Amino acid sequence: VNSLFNLSTEKLHSWQIIDWGYTEEDIPLSLKYYDNWVKKNYHGPLIYMADERKEKRKSLSSFYPAFQSALVFLFDYKKAAKANQQNQNYQFAAYTKGFDGLDYHLWIKDKLDLIAKEIGITDYVLSIDAQPVLERDLAYRAGLGWFGKNSMLINQKEGSFFLISSILLPKKLNLARRSVATDHCGNCTRCLDACPTQAIVADRVVDAAKCISTFTIELFKDADAPKGYPTERGEIFGCDICQEVCPWNHKPLSTVTEQLHKVEFEKIFAQTDLENISNREFRRLFKHTSLERTGRVGFLKNLTKLKR
Ligand code: B12
């Protein structure tokens, strides 16, 4: 990772930033693919991808009118992905553990605000997942990787076990810009072949209705699991199968030497009779973690489907 103004490589690394890029490009390069995806109903139950927020994704300036440039950051969670390779009773998406077990929206906001402060920026807007911004495309524009066949943004050196978040600015910083990355998926189809629910319906196209991640993270009421849901693996929150099989992740993961400490929510999970707690108790136990999202009912839906 390169330094950024007065922020050293070491400092950025200490915030789990493994790469960053800069772009002034307002319009997503893959907009037509997004349009097509919605037209074909591949957003499935994800209404927020197809309602009035869709217009906002057409350009950064339609979301943030003062937009002039963006600093795009990749936040690493390889350590958690590596730990997930060990056999476990329940499989949590690695990102849920990768940021001290905290909800990454909170963790990353803290770091981006620190960065802005350190480099002396006061006027800015953050994009951390929930905003109507095509974040993979934004990272693509900043030269940080290519769209893999699993639709993940893949970085040639780092793989795909990172999250993308950005600082959007009302002025240009005149930093060096990288050219967009070339595709390195070649003939490989491991992600398509490995997806147990066949959610990757074509290269770079995920049918959200079939994706285990949608079922376990985005559905808050009882619902049927997608066909093929592997109850024996124990995917309880999110799913990383299409990333785990990706050859571009193998080398980056093999370089991880540090152990991941068990996070608080895993201990709670192991020690609590989750089926018999109240909604309020659920919220209290998982407050500020990623697991809070589904609520107790959504979480129980996952848990009961996995009963074996
Ligand atoms: C909606 C959403 C989901 C949905 C839909 C997934 C999807 N593929 O769209 C669901 C719930 C299924 C999901 C799952 C996951 N998600 Co999600 N999700 C999002 C969200 C909020 C929007 C994504 C989006 O715009 N989808 C619209 C579709 C059309 O986009 P797309 O699939 O990326 O397709 C693009 C490319 O395929 C491209 N394309 C297609 N063909 C071609 C051809 C060429 C030549 C080019 C250039 C481009 C191109 O164009 C499309 C439009 O940009 C973003 C955050 C954000 N604000 O952007 C996070 C985000 C994409 N998710 C993320 C993560 C980590 C995940 C999971 C790994 C979580 C987990 N462990 O369970 C899984 C992975 C599943 C998968 N293979 O995608 C990260 C991805 C980081 C990365 N390295 O790519 C993001 C960026 C969140 C973040 N802030 O870091 N997610």
Side-chain angles (χ1 to χ4, degrees):
V1 53
N2 293 321
S3 56
L4 168 63
F5 296 110
N6 53 331
L7 287 173
S8 65
T9 302
E10 292 74 30
K11 188 84 221 171
L12 291 169
H13 239 156
S14 74
W15 292 333
Q16 291 178 218
I17 292 167
I18 38 168
D19 206 352
W20 64 268
Y22 173 74
T23 181
E24 297 173 359
E25 201 57 63
D26 189 19
I27 297 173
L29 302 171
S30 62
L31 202 55
K32 66 171 183 195
Y33 299 102
Y34 170 46
D35 270 340
N36 222 1
W37 186 73
V38 172
K39 254 184 223 133
K40 294 202 161 149
N41 247 321
Y42 286 142
H43 60 286
L46 308 176
I47 307 208
Y48 60 87
M49 292 305 296
D51 63 12
E52 72 287 347
R53 281 165 280 192
K54 182 167 180 286
E55 283 300 302
K56 301 252 185 216
R57 293 187 182 90
K58 285 193 167 158
S59 63
L60 288 165
S61 56
S62 51
F63 159 62
Y64 173 44
F67 171 81
Q68 289 285 320
S69 73
L71 286 167
V72 187
F73 298 90
L74 307 185
F75 287 90
D76 182 45
Y77 62 88
K78 280 197 291 289
K79 216 161 60 165
K82 175 99 173 185
N84 261 1
Q85 289 179 335
Q86 286 147 20
N87 235 3
Q88 279 154 116
N89 219 350
Y90 291 100
Q91 202 70 27
F92 296 90
Y95 77 80
T96 64
K97 305 183 201 170
F99 303 93
D100 304 326
L102 289 174
D103 178 345
Y104 71 86
H105 300 87
L106 306 171
W107 193 96
I108 289 178
K109 181 182 185 309
D110 187 53
K111 303 302 175 281
L112 293 183
D113 282 335
L114 274 172
I115 290 171
K117 200 167 161 211
E118 292 278 336
I119 64 177
I121 293 166
T122 49
D123 194 9
Y124 60 90
V125 162
L126 300 181
S127 173
I128 311 174
D129 188 58
Q131 292 68 21
V133 170
L134 293 172
E135 294 187 310
R136 283 172 174 149
D137 191 284
L138 184 53
Y140 181 63
R141 274 172 270 168
L144 292 168
W146 73 90
F147 289 98
K149 289 187 186 172
N150 54 5
S151 94
M152 298 300 295
L153 192 91
I154 304 176
N155 177 288
Q156 194 159 10
K157 186 163 158 268
E158 301 291 343
S160 66
F161 284 115
F162 54 76
L163 296 174
I164 304 163
S165 289
S166 307
I167 302 179
L168 309 180
L169 297 161
K171 61 176 187 193
K172 293 189 171 31
L173 297 178
N174 298 313
L175 296 173
R177 280 177 271 170
R178 299 188 207 177
S179 43
V180 299
T182 42
D183 181 291
H184 292 284
C185 284
N187 297 325
C188 178
T189 57
R190 287 196 216 182
C191 56
L192 289 105
D193 302 339
C195 178
T197 56
Q198 289 166 22
I200 310 172
V201 291
D203 291 0
R204 300 173 192 82
V205 184
V206 170
D207 181 351
K210 292 184 180 169
C211 182
I212 293 168
S213 182
T214 304
F215 174 67
T216 54
I217 303 179
E218 303 275 339
L219 303 184
F220 309 143
K221 292 187 287 203
D222 193 28
D224 290 332
K227 206 165 147 248
Y229 183 46
T231 54
E232 69 291 347
R233 254 185 68 113
E235 252 63 38
I236 187 81
F237 193 92
C239 174
D240 287 321
I241 295 175
C242 66
Q243 299 200 81
E244 285 165 5
V245 298
C246 175
W248 286 101
N249 278 324
H250 294 163
K251 200 164 156 219
L253 280 201
S254 73
T255 62
V256 175
T257 48
E258 259 181 293
Q259 281 269 327
L260 183 85
H261 295 292
K262 224 180 174 59
V263 297
E264 211 47 46
F265 75 68
E266 279 184 291
K267 293 180 201 157
I268 296 169
F269 193 82
Q271 291 160 5
T272 315
D273 179 13
L274 287 169
E275 285 187 49
N276 290 308
I277 62 172
S278 64
N279 288 330
R280 188 198 279 199
E281 184 66 357
F282 181 88
R283 299 245 174 243
R284 192 187 64 80
L285 286 173
F286 296 112
K287 201 173 165 64
H288 300 323
T289 76
S290 298
L291 272 48
E292 196 183 5
R293 179 176 171 82
T294 59
R296 183 186 66 97
V297 175
F299 201 77
L300 280 186
K301 150 190 98 339
N302 305 343
L303 195 62
T304 48
K305 294 289 180 318
L306 288 178
K307 256 193 183 152
R308 44 216 131 133

